Amino acid sequence: MRIVFMGTPDFAVPVLTEIIGQGHDVAAVYSRAPKPAGRRGLEPTPSPVHMAALRFGLKIETPASLKSDDAIATLARFEAEAAVVVAYGLILPKAALDLFPRGCLNLHASLLPRWRGAAPIQRAIMAGDAETGVMVMKMEEGLDTGPVALAERTLIGPETNAGEVHDRLALIGADLMARALAALARGSLRFTPQPEDGVTYAAKIEKSEARIDWSEPAGRVHDKIRALAPFPGAFFEADLGKGPERIKILRATLAPGDGAPGALLDDRLTIACGAGAIAVLEVQRAGKTPMSAADFLRGASLAPGFILPPAKALPS
């Protein structure tokens, strides 16, 4: 089929690659416009999907919006039968959806209707969900409200983080979308409306949420660490001799222990929470590469009994 692909982050790249490998005619790739990146944030950097499209020699469009008449006219000129949308980041108005006679298929990383919205993987882990999945749905004007065609489930292990789930679902999703397109081309793809019960929304992760609140139970702290690893990273602050510094926790596990919230319980970076404790396994200091807790402690002036400041006492 002749397809327009719309996506932005690295999660969408395996889907684009699989579609091309299946022999579909990708008329154009739509992605978010390049944004400043790097340490100084000055050089505009194309998105992962944009870079993949360049490697494949595909036509690339990066409009700021799809709501203008000009944007709709440009999209119409590609005369595509269907659109495939994977974490694109822009709203498709009805005028855009109506351009594709075979519809717009969206790959969404949750078990809809649970976790509609921007951050389904992170929210599922943060909520302590034991499983998640990926679904191919037909796009409507509502937020992830369309009927579902295909789905695959996967377990979230007790120590699994968002990066691991992300990578797994990206590969599962690529195969799922390829199967959906094959069925669509045969005219055999069937859709089932989402149930009305069980709707939850995965709001975008705010920067303030990444700060660890040690007064929360250890299970909740652990889930937040897993949900925000490797990016943006749940963090705490401590004065290591040169003023307050943010330290991201990339990996931790639940541990026995009791003490004042934020108290270091031993010389292995076990930290007390509101109930229970966590043992920190891997951290990252600002501007540094990830390191083990043992390596971090060798360069930090932290000792058992030290109490990390509570989240509410620190500026955002």
Side-chain angles (χ1 to χ4, degrees):
M1 289 190 299
R2 186 169 172 84
I3 293 168
V4 165
F5 184 86
M6 297 178 171
T8 296
D10 53 4
F11 181 81
V13 173
V15 185
L16 175 59
T17 303
E18 186 68 19
I19 289 172
I20 295 169
Q22 292 294 320
H24 295 286
D25 176 16
V26 180
V29 171
Y30 275 65
S31 192
R32 295 296 297 270
K35 293 183 177 181
R39 183 165 295 181
R40 296 187 178 182
L42 299 176
E43 191 70 26
T45 302
S47 73
V49 165
H50 189 148
M51 294 297 293
L54 288 174
R55 291 195 297 271
F56 287 117
L58 299 173
K59 172 68 174 175
I60 301 167
E61 297 286 342
T62 57
S65 169
L66 292 174
K67 296 181 179 180
S68 70
D69 292 342
D70 287 346
I72 296 299
T74 298
L75 186 58
R77 282 196 290 271
F78 293 113
E79 298 181 336
E81 299 171 76
V84 172
V85 182
V86 186
Y88 177 33
L90 290 182
I91 294 174
L92 272 66
K94 187 175 185 302
L97 297 174
D98 290 345
L99 289 175
F100 305 99
R102 291 180 181 257
C104 296
L105 298 185
N106 175 239
L107 186 72
H108 186 74
S110 83
L111 297 176
L112 294 167
R114 185 163 178 79
W115 302 126
R116 294 173 178 172
I121 294 174
Q122 293 89 341
R123 294 299 177 188
I125 297 175
M126 202 176 291
D129 290 3
E131 69 171 357
T132 186
V134 66
M135 290 185 161
V136 173
M137 55 174 277
K138 187 174 184 178
M139 293 187 70
E140 298 178 340
E141 289 185 85
L143 177 64
D144 300 329
T145 58
V148 173
L150 298 175
E152 288 283 353
R153 294 172 177 265
T154 187
L155 295 177
I156 302 175
E159 303 294 336
T160 305
N161 67 30
E164 293 161 346
V165 174
H166 168 283
D167 293 350
R168 191 190 314 159
L169 290 183
L171 296 178
I172 295 172
D175 177 70
L176 199 68
M177 183 59 76
R179 288 159 48 196
L181 288 174
L184 184 65
R186 295 192 304 266
S188 61
L189 191 63
R190 300 291 180 262
F191 295 91
T192 302
Q194 293 183 37
E196 296 182 2
D197 296 334
V199 175
T200 58
Y201 289 93
K204 179 182 177 181
I205 302 295
E206 300 294 337
K207 290 182 180 180
S208 59
E209 293 183 81
R211 188 188 300 276
I212 295 171
D213 182 354
W214 297 112
S215 68
E216 291 186 330
R220 185 171 297 177
V221 172
H222 183 230
D223 288 342
K224 174 179 282 191
I225 291 167
R226 295 190 301 126
L228 301 183
F231 182 83
F235 71 89
F236 65 92
E237 288 195 356
D239 189 339
L240 304 182
K242 297 182 179 180
E245 179 181 337
R246 291 190 177 191
I247 297 98
K248 294 181 182 181
I249 300 180
L250 300 181
R251 197 170 293 276
T253 190
L254 296 174
D258 185 42
L264 272 63
L265 301 180
D266 56 28
D267 58 1
R268 298 185 302 277
L269 208 55
T270 300
I271 304 174
C273 301
I278 64 163
V280 177
L281 304 177
E282 185 179 21
V283 302
Q284 185 174 18
R285 298 175 66 172
K288 305 291 184 180
T289 58
M291 66 183 76
S292 68
D295 288 342
F296 168 72
L297 286 173
R298 276 193 281 271
S301 55
L302 300 178
F306 184 89
I307 298 180
L308 300 172
K312 63 183 179 181
L314 296 168
S316 299

